[in-house]
Short mmCIF file of all heavy atoms in Angstrom, two decimals:
data_model
loop_
_atom_site.label_atom_id
_atom_site.label_comp_id
_atom_site.label_asym_id
_atom_site.label_seq_id
_atom_site.Cartn_x
_atom_site.Cartn_y
_atom_site.Cartn_z
N ASN C 1396 10.28 29.11 -17.45
CA ASN C 1396 10.67 29.67 -18.73
C ASN C 1396 11.70 28.87 -19.50
O ASN C 1396 12.23 29.24 -20.54
CB ASN C 1396 11.26 31.06 -18.57
CG ASN C 1396 12.39 31.10 -17.54
OD1 ASN C 1396 12.82 30.05 -17.01
ND2 ASN C 1396 12.95 32.25 -17.23
N GLY C 1397 12.00 27.63 -18.96
CA GLY C 1397 13.00 26.73 -19.58
C GLY C 1397 14.39 26.89 -19.12
O GLY C 1397 15.21 26.04 -19.47
N ARG C 1398 14.77 27.90 -18.28
CA ARG C 1398 16.07 28.01 -17.84
C ARG C 1398 16.33 27.07 -16.73
O ARG C 1398 15.48 26.79 -15.85
CB ARG C 1398 16.22 29.46 -17.30
CG ARG C 1398 17.62 29.79 -16.84
CD ARG C 1398 17.74 31.25 -16.31
NE ARG C 1398 18.98 31.51 -15.75
CZ ARG C 1398 19.32 32.66 -15.06
NH1 ARG C 1398 18.40 33.58 -14.90
NH2 ARG C 1398 20.50 32.85 -14.63
N ILE C 1399 17.60 26.48 -16.72
CA ILE C 1399 18.03 25.57 -15.72
C ILE C 1399 18.85 26.27 -14.66
O ILE C 1399 19.93 26.93 -15.07
CB ILE C 1399 18.73 24.35 -16.29
CG1 ILE C 1399 17.83 23.59 -17.29
CG2 ILE C 1399 19.25 23.38 -15.30
CD1 ILE C 1399 18.51 22.43 -17.98
N VAL C 1400 18.52 26.19 -13.39
CA VAL C 1400 19.28 26.85 -12.34
C VAL C 1400 19.59 25.74 -11.31
O VAL C 1400 18.94 24.71 -11.15
CB VAL C 1400 18.46 28.00 -11.74
CG1 VAL C 1400 18.21 29.04 -12.69
CG2 VAL C 1400 17.13 27.46 -11.17
N THR C 1401 20.59 26.06 -10.47
CA THR C 1401 20.95 25.22 -9.31
C THR C 1401 20.36 25.83 -8.05
O THR C 1401 20.58 26.91 -7.62
CB THR C 1401 22.44 25.14 -9.23
OG1 THR C 1401 23.05 24.61 -10.40
CG2 THR C 1401 22.89 24.25 -8.03
N ARG C 1402 19.53 24.93 -7.40
CA ARG C 1402 18.80 25.30 -6.24
C ARG C 1402 19.50 24.70 -4.99
O ARG C 1402 19.76 23.49 -4.98
CB ARG C 1402 17.35 24.83 -6.21
CG ARG C 1402 16.55 25.18 -4.95
CD ARG C 1402 15.10 24.89 -5.12
NE ARG C 1402 14.57 25.82 -6.10
CZ ARG C 1402 13.28 25.79 -6.57
NH1 ARG C 1402 12.49 24.84 -6.14
NH2 ARG C 1402 12.87 26.65 -7.49
N THR C 1403 20.00 25.51 -4.05
CA THR C 1403 20.68 25.05 -2.89
C THR C 1403 19.73 25.16 -1.66
O THR C 1403 19.12 26.17 -1.40
CB THR C 1403 21.93 25.98 -2.63
OG1 THR C 1403 22.69 25.96 -3.79
CG2 THR C 1403 22.70 25.43 -1.51
N VAL C 1404 19.71 24.03 -0.96
CA VAL C 1404 18.88 23.89 0.25
C VAL C 1404 19.79 23.66 1.48
O VAL C 1404 20.61 22.72 1.37
CB VAL C 1404 17.82 22.79 0.13
CG1 VAL C 1404 16.97 22.71 1.43
CG2 VAL C 1404 16.92 23.01 -1.02
N PHE C 1405 19.65 24.43 2.47
CA PHE C 1405 20.51 24.33 3.72
C PHE C 1405 19.62 23.97 4.88
O PHE C 1405 18.59 24.62 5.10
CB PHE C 1405 21.32 25.59 3.97
CG PHE C 1405 22.19 25.47 5.15
CD1 PHE C 1405 23.50 24.92 4.94
CD2 PHE C 1405 21.86 25.81 6.40
CE1 PHE C 1405 24.34 24.80 6.05
CE2 PHE C 1405 22.65 25.69 7.54
CZ PHE C 1405 23.97 25.26 7.36
N CYS C 1406 19.95 22.94 5.63
CA CYS C 1406 19.21 22.52 6.85
C CYS C 1406 20.16 22.56 8.06
O CYS C 1406 21.24 22.00 7.98
CB CYS C 1406 18.64 21.19 6.64
SG CYS C 1406 17.73 20.58 8.10
N ASN C 1407 19.73 23.29 9.12
CA ASN C 1407 20.64 23.42 10.23
C ASN C 1407 20.64 22.16 11.12
O ASN C 1407 21.57 21.94 11.91
CB ASN C 1407 20.19 24.65 11.08
CG ASN C 1407 18.78 24.53 11.61
OD1 ASN C 1407 18.02 23.71 11.12
ND2 ASN C 1407 18.42 25.29 12.58
N GLN C 1408 19.66 21.31 10.99
CA GLN C 1408 19.61 20.04 11.81
C GLN C 1408 19.15 18.88 10.86
O GLN C 1408 17.95 18.54 10.80
CB GLN C 1408 18.58 20.12 12.98
CG GLN C 1408 19.05 21.14 14.02
CD GLN C 1408 18.14 21.03 15.25
OE1 GLN C 1408 17.82 19.97 15.74
NE2 GLN C 1408 17.59 22.20 15.65
N PRO C 1409 20.02 18.32 10.07
CA PRO C 1409 19.61 17.25 9.19
C PRO C 1409 19.19 15.99 9.83
O PRO C 1409 18.36 15.24 9.35
CB PRO C 1409 20.88 17.03 8.28
CG PRO C 1409 21.98 17.52 9.09
CD PRO C 1409 21.44 18.66 9.92
N THR C 1410 19.68 15.77 11.06
CA THR C 1410 19.24 14.54 11.79
C THR C 1410 17.78 14.65 12.18
O THR C 1410 17.10 13.63 12.41
CB THR C 1410 20.12 14.28 13.01
OG1 THR C 1410 20.13 15.49 13.81
CG2 THR C 1410 21.59 14.03 12.58
N ALA C 1411 17.26 15.90 12.33
CA ALA C 1411 15.84 16.05 12.76
C ALA C 1411 14.93 15.59 11.68
O ALA C 1411 13.77 15.31 11.97
CB ALA C 1411 15.55 17.45 13.18
N LEU C 1412 15.37 15.70 10.42
CA LEU C 1412 14.45 15.27 9.29
C LEU C 1412 14.24 13.78 9.23
O LEU C 1412 13.24 13.31 8.72
CB LEU C 1412 15.07 15.66 7.93
CG LEU C 1412 15.30 17.19 7.73
CD1 LEU C 1412 15.94 17.41 6.38
CD2 LEU C 1412 13.98 17.91 7.82
N LEU C 1413 15.15 12.99 9.87
CA LEU C 1413 15.00 11.53 9.93
C LEU C 1413 14.09 11.07 11.03
O LEU C 1413 13.68 9.88 10.95
CB LEU C 1413 16.33 10.85 10.04
CG LEU C 1413 17.40 11.28 8.92
CD1 LEU C 1413 18.71 10.57 9.22
CD2 LEU C 1413 16.84 10.92 7.58
N ARG C 1414 13.77 11.97 12.04
CA ARG C 1414 12.94 11.50 13.15
C ARG C 1414 11.46 11.59 12.69
O ARG C 1414 11.14 12.52 11.92
CB ARG C 1414 13.18 12.26 14.36
CG ARG C 1414 14.59 12.15 14.93
CD ARG C 1414 14.74 12.69 16.37
NE ARG C 1414 14.56 14.11 16.31
CZ ARG C 1414 15.52 14.94 16.32
NH1 ARG C 1414 16.72 14.57 16.27
NH2 ARG C 1414 15.28 16.32 16.31
N PRO C 1415 10.57 10.70 13.30
CA PRO C 1415 9.09 10.94 13.02
C PRO C 1415 8.58 12.28 13.49
O PRO C 1415 9.00 12.79 14.51
CB PRO C 1415 8.48 9.74 13.76
CG PRO C 1415 9.61 8.79 14.04
CD PRO C 1415 10.84 9.63 14.12
N ARG C 1416 7.77 12.87 12.72
CA ARG C 1416 7.24 14.19 13.00
C ARG C 1416 6.13 13.96 14.04
O ARG C 1416 5.31 13.09 14.02
CB ARG C 1416 6.67 14.85 11.80
CG ARG C 1416 7.74 15.12 10.70
CD ARG C 1416 7.11 15.79 9.50
NE ARG C 1416 8.15 16.12 8.54
CZ ARG C 1416 7.81 16.65 7.31
NH1 ARG C 1416 6.61 16.94 7.01
NH2 ARG C 1416 8.86 16.83 6.52
N ALA C 1417 6.05 14.94 15.03
CA ALA C 1417 5.04 14.88 16.09
C ALA C 1417 3.63 15.27 15.48
O ALA C 1417 3.52 15.97 14.53
CB ALA C 1417 5.43 15.84 17.20
N ALA C 1418 2.59 14.73 16.19
CA ALA C 1418 1.28 15.03 15.81
C ALA C 1418 0.96 16.51 15.98
O ALA C 1418 1.51 17.18 16.84
CB ALA C 1418 0.35 14.16 16.54
N ALA C 1419 0.11 17.03 15.11
CA ALA C 1419 -0.25 18.45 15.22
C ALA C 1419 -1.01 18.69 16.50
O ALA C 1419 -1.79 17.90 16.96
CB ALA C 1419 -1.07 18.82 13.97
N ALA C 1420 -0.86 19.96 17.06
CA ALA C 1420 -1.54 20.31 18.27
C ALA C 1420 -2.98 20.47 17.98
O ALA C 1420 -3.39 20.94 16.94
CB ALA C 1420 -0.95 21.60 18.87
N PRO C 1421 -3.94 20.19 18.96
CA PRO C 1421 -5.36 20.34 18.74
C PRO C 1421 -5.66 21.82 18.60
O PRO C 1421 -5.03 22.73 19.15
CB PRO C 1421 -6.01 19.78 20.07
CG PRO C 1421 -4.91 19.82 21.03
CD PRO C 1421 -3.67 19.61 20.31
N PRO C 1422 -6.62 22.14 17.73
CA PRO C 1422 -6.93 23.59 17.44
C PRO C 1422 -7.57 24.17 18.69
O PRO C 1422 -8.26 23.57 19.48
CB PRO C 1422 -8.00 23.41 16.31
CG PRO C 1422 -8.50 22.10 16.38
CD PRO C 1422 -7.47 21.18 16.92
N GLN C 1423 -7.36 25.53 18.78
CA GLN C 1423 -7.90 26.31 19.82
C GLN C 1423 -9.47 26.35 19.70
O GLN C 1423 -9.99 26.40 18.62
CB GLN C 1423 -7.29 27.65 19.94
CG GLN C 1423 -5.78 27.61 20.19
CD GLN C 1423 -5.48 27.14 21.60
OE1 GLN C 1423 -6.30 27.31 22.47
NE2 GLN C 1423 -4.30 26.61 21.84
N LEU C 1424 -10.13 26.49 20.83
CA LEU C 1424 -11.64 26.59 20.75
C LEU C 1424 -11.98 27.96 20.22
O LEU C 1424 -11.34 28.96 20.53
CB LEU C 1424 -12.25 26.40 22.15
CG LEU C 1424 -12.03 24.98 22.83
CD1 LEU C 1424 -12.56 24.99 24.20
CD2 LEU C 1424 -12.68 23.97 21.97
N PRO C 1425 -13.05 28.03 19.43
CA PRO C 1425 -13.56 29.36 18.93
C PRO C 1425 -14.05 30.10 20.15
O PRO C 1425 -14.47 29.69 21.17
CB PRO C 1425 -14.63 28.94 17.98
CG PRO C 1425 -15.07 27.62 18.32
CD PRO C 1425 -13.86 26.93 18.93
N PRO C 1426 -14.06 31.47 19.96
CA PRO C 1426 -14.53 32.33 21.02
C PRO C 1426 -15.99 32.09 21.41
O PRO C 1426 -16.32 32.21 22.55
CB PRO C 1426 -14.37 33.77 20.50
CG PRO C 1426 -13.35 33.62 19.39
CD PRO C 1426 -13.55 32.23 18.82
N ALA C 1427 -16.75 31.57 20.45
CA ALA C 1427 -18.23 31.31 20.82
C ALA C 1427 -18.38 30.13 21.72
O ALA C 1427 -19.44 29.96 22.37
CB ALA C 1427 -18.98 31.11 19.48
N ALA C 1428 -17.40 29.23 21.75
CA ALA C 1428 -17.54 28.05 22.56
C ALA C 1428 -17.03 28.25 23.99
O ALA C 1428 -17.14 27.35 24.82
CB ALA C 1428 -16.85 26.93 21.91
N ARG C 1429 -16.44 29.44 24.24
CA ARG C 1429 -15.91 29.66 25.67
C ARG C 1429 -17.01 30.14 26.53
O ARG C 1429 -17.99 30.71 26.14
CB ARG C 1429 -14.80 30.69 25.51
CG ARG C 1429 -13.57 30.25 24.68
CD ARG C 1429 -12.60 31.34 24.49
NE ARG C 1429 -11.52 30.95 23.66
CZ ARG C 1429 -10.59 31.79 23.20
NH1 ARG C 1429 -10.63 33.04 23.63
NH2 ARG C 1429 -9.71 31.36 22.35
N PRO C 1430 -16.86 29.90 27.90
CA PRO C 1430 -17.90 30.39 28.86
C PRO C 1430 -17.92 31.92 28.77
O PRO C 1430 -16.97 32.54 28.79
CB PRO C 1430 -17.38 29.82 30.20
CG PRO C 1430 -16.45 28.77 29.90
CD PRO C 1430 -15.83 29.09 28.56
N ILE C 1431 -19.18 32.38 28.81
CA ILE C 1431 -19.47 33.83 28.68
C ILE C 1431 -19.90 34.40 30.10
O ILE C 1431 -20.78 33.82 30.73
CB ILE C 1431 -20.56 34.12 27.62
CG1 ILE C 1431 -20.06 33.55 26.28
CG2 ILE C 1431 -20.85 35.64 27.53
CD1 ILE C 1431 -21.15 33.73 25.18
N THR C 1432 -19.25 35.39 30.50
CA THR C 1432 -19.59 36.03 31.75
C THR C 1432 -20.38 37.28 31.41
O THR C 1432 -19.91 38.16 30.68
CB THR C 1432 -18.35 36.40 32.52
OG1 THR C 1432 -17.61 35.23 32.76
CG2 THR C 1432 -18.75 37.07 33.80
N THR C 1433 -21.65 37.40 31.91
CA THR C 1433 -22.50 38.53 31.62
C THR C 1433 -22.00 39.75 32.31
O THR C 1433 -21.31 39.68 33.33
CB THR C 1433 -23.91 38.21 32.01
OG1 THR C 1433 -23.94 37.94 33.42
CG2 THR C 1433 -24.43 36.94 31.29
N HIS C 1434 -22.42 40.85 31.80
CA HIS C 1434 -22.04 42.16 32.41
C HIS C 1434 -22.61 42.28 33.79
O HIS C 1434 -22.07 42.87 34.69
CB HIS C 1434 -22.45 43.28 31.51
CG HIS C 1434 -22.14 44.63 32.06
ND1 HIS C 1434 -20.80 45.09 32.09
CD2 HIS C 1434 -22.89 45.67 32.54
CE1 HIS C 1434 -20.77 46.34 32.64
NE2 HIS C 1434 -22.09 46.65 32.92
N ALA C 1435 -23.86 41.79 33.94
CA ALA C 1435 -24.52 41.92 35.27
C ALA C 1435 -23.81 41.12 36.31
O ALA C 1435 -23.56 41.60 37.41
CB ALA C 1435 -25.99 41.43 35.16
N GLN C 1436 -23.25 39.98 35.89
CA GLN C 1436 -22.56 39.19 36.90
C GLN C 1436 -21.27 39.75 37.25
O GLN C 1436 -20.74 39.67 38.37
CB GLN C 1436 -22.32 37.72 36.35
CG GLN C 1436 -23.67 36.94 36.20
CD GLN C 1436 -23.37 35.63 35.56
OE1 GLN C 1436 -22.30 35.36 35.15
NE2 GLN C 1436 -24.44 34.74 35.52
N ALA C 1437 -20.63 40.43 36.28
CA ALA C 1437 -19.32 41.04 36.52
C ALA C 1437 -19.38 42.31 37.34
O ALA C 1437 -18.53 42.59 38.11
CB ALA C 1437 -18.67 41.32 35.14
N SER C 1438 -20.54 42.98 37.18
CA SER C 1438 -20.68 44.30 37.94
C SER C 1438 -21.48 44.13 39.17
O SER C 1438 -21.84 45.16 39.78
CB SER C 1438 -21.29 45.32 37.02
OG SER C 1438 -22.49 44.82 36.58
N GLU C 1439 -21.94 42.99 39.58
CA GLU C 1439 -22.79 42.91 40.74
C GLU C 1439 -21.96 43.11 42.02
O GLU C 1439 -21.00 42.49 42.29
CB GLU C 1439 -23.41 41.52 40.80
CG GLU C 1439 -24.36 41.30 41.97
CD GLU C 1439 -25.02 39.91 41.96
OE1 GLU C 1439 -24.73 39.08 41.02
OE2 GLU C 1439 -25.70 39.55 42.90
#
Side-chain angles (χ1 to χ4, degrees):
N1396 58 0
R1398 182 184 177 187
I1399 298 178
V1400 297
T1401 301
R1402 177 170 296 175
T1403 305
V1404 180
F1405 183 87
C1406 179
N1407 61 343
Q1408 295 187 46
T1410 56
L1412 298 178
L1413 304 178
R1414 296 195 294 264
R1416 297 181 181 178
Q1423 298 291 335
L1424 296 178
R1429 299 174 183 172
I1431 302 176
T1432 303
T1433 60
H1434 179 71
Q1436 293 176 354
S1438 60
E1439 183 179 357

